[in-house]
Amino acid sequence: MAVNEMGLSTLGITLGYAIGTTKPSSFTQLDRIVSIGEFSIQNETIDVSCLEDLTSKFVRGRGTISDTIPVVVNWTDEVEAQWEAVLSAFAGKEPGQAMWWEVIVPGMTKAAFFKAQPPTALPVPSMEQNVAFTNTMNLVAEDLIGWDTKVAFS
């Protein structure tokens, strides 16, 4: 079956967070996101070669997820307040709860979900002349949930 769409743009992609033990029913949208790093899984390889094998033989082993997901944001007072709220929400979570993240891509039926921890404090960004003032929030990856039914942002 041929694919009829050329592809999608990153224009309009949004990111939100929520706290929950299971997939939350509402997420809070974060503004001024410049980029969201890849969250991937890399399978280890297990060598199952025998003495009579002239070449190595491997099988798929345990999957290792990305350790951090960098989220770059345009840094303003309002954005700083939003990320302070992220840190507060994480600090106030109950045992057994996780911070869930949702990425909505316009044109996609489903959204991407993962669990990750925010930084322990807001970082101070690097500063250069004549560039956008951005900051990078390195989220510590916990679990790759994958693509699932979209949840509305509040």
Side-chain angles (χ1 to χ4, degrees):
M1 179 174 172
V3 174
N4 292 322
E5 287 188 59
M6 271 186 3
L8 298 174
S9 168
T10 58
L11 293 175
I13 289 177
T14 49
L15 174 69
Y17 71 95
I19 300 290
T21 52
T22 60
K23 181 178 157 186
S25 59
S26 177
F27 284 74
T28 301
Q29 182 175 338
L30 294 167
D31 297 313
R32 309 309 300 154
I33 305 298
V34 174
S35 68
I36 304 166
E38 177 181 70
F39 190 166
S40 62
I41 186 164
Q42 177 70 39
N43 288 95
E44 296 177 19
T45 56
I46 299 171
D47 188 340
V48 293
S49 305
C50 296
L51 293 175
E52 66 267 15
D53 293 333
L54 298 178
T55 59
S56 298
K57 308 290 183 202
F58 297 95
V59 296
R60 182 178 61 193
R62 179 182 323 158
T64 301
I65 59 173
S66 305
D67 57 352
T68 59
I69 304 146
V71 176
V72 178
V73 299
N74 282 326
W75 201 237
T76 66
D77 287 338
E78 294 87 357
V79 170
E80 180 181 5
Q82 286 185 336
W83 282 90
E84 286 285 359
V86 169
L87 299 185
S88 293
F90 185 77
K93 71 180 184 62
E94 300 292 325
Q97 291 183 320
M99 182 162 272
W100 288 66
W101 298 84
E102 177 183 24
V103 180
I104 296 178
V105 180
M108 295 288 293
T109 304
K110 297 178 179 180
F113 293 89
F114 58 92
K115 295 178 190 177
Q117 300 171 18
T120 54
L122 294 179
V124 175
S126 66
M127 292 160 232
E128 302 171 37
Q129 56 90 21
N130 203 33
V131 296
F133 188 48
T134 62
N135 206 348
T136 303
M137 304 298 150
N138 286 305
L139 306 180
V140 177
E142 285 185 14
D143 196 11
L144 173 58
I145 306 301
W147 296 91
D148 198 4
T149 306
K150 291 178 187 178
V151 175
F153 287 142
S154 57

